[in-house]
């Protein structure tokens, strides 16, 4: 199996830098582009099959040719996760299957004018589908719009179980529903990307703050956890308090993880 | 008076090149960026006061600082005319007045979460407001969502009437409502930008084809008319049939018109 998981964007809806903001994190991002955070999205590529996870980047038509995208998986239909679809849909000579949560409303007129986007029947809670070579399971999340995370089971090159790679992508969410939490305990991901929008807050709303995110990671104990959907306040917090548990990192736009199974 | 009118984008919702399209116009646009057409929008600047007309460009946060935009005027709430607002709204340290048609629905959750966008009471048919130094009149158009064009009266430097400049921006529309047509006859624009999305068609829908656009221009007789909201089929048509009346031009992304009043 050859594969890679890449964070395309790791910001919240405000992105980093925030327009017109002169805080330390935003000024740093203007000066050093590696600190910028675009719309939260990722790409998973397994044996040449490429899946976009969310589509909030507005330049997808420039990043990809139609043949480059085999499927799109949406966590939910908030604008910062689907904006790029409003360009893609008017493409020609392609048809792209799009998977997402059960949300009859969707976003604006996407369902009315899908263009080349072939919206598939919504993913039901804990349903597993084979999408190309990947087994994808939908995990309910807690958010202000119907939202699912995804557990990806990438195939091993051989029957060797160690070769399989399980990745969980969990944003946007405030905590985790109990069933999703239990699923992740019994199907522990090797790599987990988790909503962590804000620094510690007394009363987090709609998104994890750092306290909630670390608590989830501590319970599930993935070997590698990445915080994503990051707002500028969290970047400022980490400028002052850079310490994190050994298995936890801040995701970065463009960060790529090699999933390839290398024969011994 | 110093002023300029600039076409930021001159494409229809599909833009040029269309994603995945290999027609002559789309291939030409890939090879020569001056033939590309982004989301239909413009900027009018008078004595340092800058008005965006529509906001479909998704990179407005990169193009402008908050202080660069004094007001935004929307023709309607279709995604290709408002997409950039979903980024701008999360800005800081600013408040931008936004004017538009009477459309309670708007686009997605823009009205629910306006952020720094200060939506003004909707412009009513033929209402005139002073927006900065510009007198703006709303002209009803024929489209699948409530849509208004704008007639702009820019101030003369002195009392000399010749110094005033009238500009009409009329997209998206299929033909013109009779009252709007009559208004434009009695308030003839010096410069007119007009929806012309398609080459001649037997039964144009929702947008002007070339036949309708030229008929409108012939009736109103502006000294300068620019066709905008152009689709790739129209670009292909003009590769084969480049002739246009002397007062008519195809708009181009980045085309700038000097409105300054120069003393004799």
């Amino acid at each position: 199996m050859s594969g890679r998981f890449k964070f395309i964007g790791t910001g919240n809806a405000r992105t980093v830098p925030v327009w017109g903001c002169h805080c330390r994190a935003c000024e740093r991002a203007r000066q050093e582009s590696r600190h910028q955070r675009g719309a939260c999205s990722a790409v998973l590529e397994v044996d040449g099959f490429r899946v976009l996870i969310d589509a909030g980047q507005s330049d997808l038509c420039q990043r990809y040719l139609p043949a480059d995208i085999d499927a799109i998986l949406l966590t939910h239909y908030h604008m910062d996760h689907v904006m790029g679809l409003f360009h893609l849909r008017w493409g020609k000579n392609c048809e792209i299957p799009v998977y997402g949560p059960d949300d009859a409303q969707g976003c604006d007129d996407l369902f009315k004018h899908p263009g080349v986007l072939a919206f598939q029947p919504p993913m039901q809670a804990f349903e597993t589908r084979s999408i190309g070579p990947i087994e994808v399971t939908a995990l309910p999340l807690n958010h202000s719009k119907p939202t699912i995370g995804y557990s990806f089971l990438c195939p091993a090159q051989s029957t060797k179980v160690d070769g399989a790679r399980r990745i969980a992508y969990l944003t946007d969410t405030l905590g985790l529903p109990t069933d999703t939490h239990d699923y992740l305990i019994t199907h522990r991901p090797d790599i987990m990307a988790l909503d962590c929008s804000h620094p510690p807050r007394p009363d987090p709303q709609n998104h994890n703050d750092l306290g909630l995110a670390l608590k989830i990671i501590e319970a599930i104990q993935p070997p590698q956890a990445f915080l994503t959907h990051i707002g500028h306040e969290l970047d400022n917090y980490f400028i002052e308090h850079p310490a994190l548990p050994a298995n936890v990192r801040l995701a970065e736009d463009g960060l790529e993880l090699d999933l390839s199974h290398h024969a011994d």
Side-chain angles (χ1 to χ4, degrees), chain A residues 34-127:
Chain A
R34 69 193 171 93
H35 291 298
Q36 293 180 2
R37 298 188 186 278
C40 194
S41 55
V43 61
L44 174 60
E45 196 175 320
V46 174
D47 293 337
F49 189 90
R50 186 179 287 133
V51 176
L52 292 193
I53 307 164
D54 280 335
Q57 308 288 326
S58 50
D59 63 349
L60 293 176
C61 292
Q62 284 76 52
R63 286 175 183 258
Y64 299 107
L65 296 172
D68 293 336
I69 304 177
D70 295 299
I72 298 174
L73 271 66
L74 302 175
T75 60
H76 64 303
Y77 288 91
H78 273 155
M79 189 61 75
D80 57 317
H81 293 256
V82 300
M83 184 182 282
L85 299 182
F86 290 93
H87 296 113
L88 286 192
R89 66 176 167 176
W90 300 125
K92 290 192 74 169
N93 307 312
C94 61
E95 185 181 275
I96 302 177
V98 181
Y99 302 82
D102 199 349
D103 182 349
Q105 200 184 348
C107 180
D108 197 56
D109 62 358
L110 263 186
F111 293 159
K112 190 176 168 193
H113 299 296
V116 304
L117 305 173
F119 286 99
Q120 304 297 305
M123 297 285 286
Q124 302 303 322
F126 303 104
E127 181 188 350

Side-chain angles (χ1 to χ4, degrees), chain A residues 9 30 50 57 81 107 128 145 169 184 190 199 221 238 255:
Chain A
R30 280 187 198 97
R50 186 179 287 133
Q57 308 288 326
H81 293 256
C107 180
T128 297
K145 205 164 162 62
Y169 190 83
L184 291 163
D190 301 299
Q221 301 211 346
F238 277 107
L255 177 66

Side-chain angles (χ1 to χ4, degrees), chain A residues 2 14 48 55 63 97 105 131 185 214 219 246 256:
Chain A
S2 74
R14 286 165 169 74
R63 286 175 183 258
Q105 200 184 348
I131 299 177
I185 295 284
L214 292 181
E256 193 169 313

Side-chain angles (χ1 to χ4, degrees), chain A residues 115-165:
Chain A
V116 304
L117 305 173
F119 286 99
Q120 304 297 305
M123 297 285 286
Q124 302 303 322
F126 303 104
E127 181 188 350
T128 297
R129 291 194 204 168
S130 292
I131 299 177
I134 310 165
E135 270 187 44
V136 180
T137 303
L139 306 180
L141 298 179
N142 295 326
H143 197 49
S144 56
K145 205 164 162 62
T147 302
I148 50 178
Y150 291 100
S151 172
F152 300 101
L153 183 62
C154 303
Q157 190 179 33
S158 61
T159 54
K160 196 176 169 187
V161 176
D162 287 339
R165 289 285 192 147

Side-chain angles (χ1 to χ4, degrees), chain A residues 158-200:
Chain A
S158 61
T159 54
K160 196 176 169 187
V161 176
D162 287 339
R165 289 285 192 147
R166 206 180 279 276
I167 300 165
Y169 190 83
L170 307 165
T171 190
D172 298 3
T173 193
L174 174 73
L176 288 178
T178 306
D179 288 355
T180 293
H181 181 273
D182 293 348
Y183 180 95
L184 291 163
I185 295 284
T186 54
H187 302 78
R188 198 177 72 163
D190 301 299
I191 294 166
M192 186 164 95
L194 182 63
D195 181 335
C196 182
S197 297
H198 305 295

